[in-house]
Amino acid sequence: MSQQTADPELYAEIQDFYARHMHLIDAGQVDAWVETFTEDATISNNVNPHPAHGREQIVGVIRRAQQQLDADGIRHRHWMGMLVVEPTADGTVHARSYAMLLAVRLGEAPVLDRSTRCHDELVRVDGDWQIRSRRVHHDGRP
Amino acid sequence: MSQQTADPELYAEIQDFYARHMHLIDAGQVDAWVETFTEDATISNNVNPHPAHGREQIVGVIRRAQQQLDADGIRHRHWMGMLVVEPTADGTVHARSYAMLLAVRLGEAPVLDRSTRCHDELVRVDGDWQIRSRRVHHDGRP
Amino acid sequence: MSQQTADPELYAEIQDFYARHMHLIDAGQVDAWVETFTEDATISNNVNPHPAHGREQIVGVIRRAQQQLDADGIRHRHWMGMLVVEPTADGTVHARSYAMLLAVRLGEAPVLDRSTRCHDELVRVDGDWQIRSRRVHHDGRP
């Protein structure tokens, strides 16, 4: 097996990126979070047949989801792990990872809500990493 | 969003620090674990109104908790993740992370006991990182 | 406490290795996965008194386990975390980590199946890391 090991500096940088990305969404800072995507970013998954295109659509989807969470009294904690980072010749970085979602209700123990695999394409924009394409596979869903 | 990305070397170093820190506490090596805090360290959280000040108090709290775990036949596994590392001009490092706690009883599947956010201030003492201040927010608690 | 902090580059490299290793096994790519072990690798744990020696035995054990998972309609997601990396003078790397296993059935929420500690000895073979020895301790088992 040829491992095509990522540059260790890049590896740590991408980990740091995802940590900030997850803190923002879990804290409900949607406007700052969506800036971790490119203007024309696409998010798709195996559950919803309609991908979201562009920051406006992405924010719309997320705000509705967060209103539902608020109504239900649930906090989310997104954990990213098992990160594989693959740079390409044109500077795009492919990042494949696992993500799990913990859901916490007031006064209750956390619940393991979801397990996913995530394949992102990241590009540098003005010195910062941004996600141009995200494909999520929800485990346990066809 | 300006990402203020941490130096990748520092990022890996702090990850390594937390891994050792967690192995020590979960293995019950309290005397070695408390040396990952400064002499005058403070730990506070949103559940207990009384912060612990200094190694002696910290050890006291932990020993009582571990005696209870031993009596209950429970082992803990602390996982830190989603680490954001922010160095400051005076050398102090702010580390914000998620932590989750797995509890394992003999013969049973592990249980997701707790989800927290953790904000540590770390300083170098004689070449090693030590925690000077830890603030923990237990999710699902007011 | 002397921390013997691992080289940050090595630390990221070993994280990347484990991510690839876990993706391969969870995707059922057993032939590629077993090449992350040396030809003469040994795997032992505290549950099965019979260690597996060499790639052929290791593959045999894993194929039987995966056939059972397929029959049961279960997907596994292995998460490695809390990684401590300790290089030695002869180039062998000792990697101590936690691993947790999520099990996902179609249409159901993921289940936290297992918590383990893992102690691997890794060596470089033709530029790639390989596991020469793996000792797993299943938490909650004698």
Side-chain angles (χ1 to χ4, degrees):
Chain A
M1 186 185 66
S2 175
Q3 290 182 7
Q4 302 176 293
T5 303
D7 176 72
E9 296 225 350
L10 178 63
Y11 192 83
E13 208 174 296
I14 300 296
Q15 287 183 307
D16 181 80
F17 169 81
Y18 277 109
R20 292 169 190 273
H21 176 74
M22 296 307 194
H23 282 261
L24 288 173
I25 192 64
D26 291 341
Q29 299 180 37
V30 178
D31 290 332
W33 173 81
V34 83
E35 291 183 15
T36 61
F37 292 89
T38 62
E39 291 281 358
D40 64 346
T42 300
I43 304 184
S44 62
N45 66 53
N46 62 323
V47 173
N48 186 329
H50 305 292
H53 291 289
R55 285 185 181 169
E56 197 177 336
Q57 274 193 23
I58 292 171
V59 163
V61 171
I62 293 297
R63 283 210 194 284
R64 283 192 293 279
Q66 293 211 326
Q67 282 162 9
Q68 190 60 51
L69 287 177
D70 288 346
D72 294 342
I74 294 173
R75 301 289 295 186
H76 274 175
R77 297 288 172 238
H78 287 83
W79 286 65
M80 184 278 301
M82 301 298 91
L83 174 67
V84 172
V85 174
E86 291 170 326
T88 63
D90 71 356
T92 304
V93 163
H94 289 252
R96 295 181 292 122
S97 62
Y98 291 171
M100 66 180 157
L101 176 59
L102 308 189
V104 192
R105 281 176 190 273
L106 198 66
E108 298 183 9
V111 168
L112 190 50
D113 186 86
R114 195 177 300 167
S115 164
T116 68
R117 283 171 293 137
C118 184
H119 186 156
D120 285 349
E121 286 178 33
L122 296 127
V123 291
R124 269 197 194 279
V125 179
D126 299 334
D128 288 337
W129 289 105
Q130 293 184 351
I131 299 161
R132 187 173 59 196
S133 162
R134 164 164 291 176
R135 286 178 287 145
V136 178
H137 180 90
H138 294 250
D139 297 326
R141 302 294 293 269
Chain B
M1 185 185 65
S2 176
Q3 290 182 8
Q4 302 176 295
T5 305
D7 176 71
E9 297 225 348
L10 178 63
Y11 192 82
E13 209 175 296
I14 300 296
Q15 286 184 307
D16 181 80
F17 168 81
Y18 278 108
R20 293 169 189 272
H21 175 74
M22 295 308 193
H23 282 262
L24 288 173
I25 191 65
D26 292 341
Q29 298 179 36
V30 178
D31 290 332
W33 173 81
V34 83
E35 291 182 15
T36 62
F37 292 89
T38 62
E39 290 281 357
D40 64 345
T42 300
I43 302 183
S44 62
N45 65 53
N46 62 322
V47 174
N48 186 331
H50 305 293
H53 291 289
R55 286 184 179 169
E56 196 177 338
Q57 274 192 23
I58 292 171
V59 164
V61 171
I62 293 298
R63 285 209 193 284
R64 281 191 295 279
Q66 293 212 326
Q67 282 163 8
Q68 189 60 51
L69 287 177
D70 288 347
D72 294 342
I74 294 173
R75 300 289 294 186
H76 274 174
R77 297 288 172 237
H78 287 84
W79 286 65
M80 183 278 302
M82 301 299 91
L83 175 66
V84 172
V85 174
E86 292 170 326
T88 62
D90 71 356
T92 304
V93 164
H94 289 252
R96 294 181 293 122
S97 62
Y98 291 172
M100 65 180 157
L101 176 60
L102 308 189
V104 192
R105 280 177 191 272
L106 199 65
E108 298 184 8
V111 169
L112 190 51
D113 186 86
R114 195 177 300 168
S115 164
T116 67
R117 283 172 292 137
C118 185
H119 187 157
D120 284 349
E121 286 178 32
L122 296 125
V123 291
R124 271 198 192 281
V125 180
D126 299 334
D128 289 335
W129 288 106
Q130 293 184 350
I131 300 161
R132 188 174 58 197
S133 160
R134 164 164 290 175
R135 286 178 286 145
V136 178
H137 181 90
H138 294 250
D139 297 326
R141 302 294 294 269
Chain C
M1 186 184 66
S2 174
Q3 290 181 9
Q4 303 176 294
T5 304
D7 175 70
E9 296 225 351
L10 177 63
Y11 191 84
E13 207 174 296
I14 300 294
Q15 286 183 306
D16 181 80
F17 168 81
Y18 277 109
R20 293 169 190 272
H21 175 74
M22 295 308 193
H23 282 262
L24 288 172
I25 191 65
D26 291 341
Q29 298 180 37
V30 178
D31 290 333
W33 174 81
V34 82
E35 290 182 15
T36 60
F37 291 89
T38 62
E39 291 281 359
D40 64 346
T42 300
I43 303 184
S44 62
N45 66 53
N46 61 323
V47 174
N48 185 330
H50 305 292
H53 292 288
R55 285 184 180 170
E56 196 176 336
Q57 274 193 21
I58 292 171
V59 164
V61 170
I62 293 297
R63 283 209 194 284
R64 281 192 295 279
Q66 293 211 325
Q67 283 163 8
Q68 189 61 50
L69 287 177
D70 288 346
D72 294 342
I74 294 172
R75 301 289 295 185
H76 274 174
R77 297 289 172 235
H78 286 84
W79 286 66
M80 183 278 302
M82 300 299 91
L83 175 66
V84 172
V85 174
E86 291 171 326
T88 63
D90 70 357
T92 303
V93 164
H94 289 252
R96 295 181 291 122
S97 62
Y98 291 172
M100 65 180 158
L101 177 60
L102 308 189
V104 191
R105 281 177 190 272
L106 199 66
E108 298 184 8
V111 169
L112 190 51
D113 186 87
R114 196 177 297 167
S115 164
T116 67
R117 283 171 293 137
C118 184
H119 186 156
D120 285 349
E121 286 178 33
L122 297 126
V123 291
R124 270 198 192 280
V125 179
D126 299 334
D128 288 335
W129 289 105
Q130 293 184 349
I131 300 161
R132 187 172 60 197
S133 161
R134 164 164 290 176
R135 286 178 286 145
V136 178
H137 181 90
H138 294 250
D139 297 327
R141 302 293 294 269

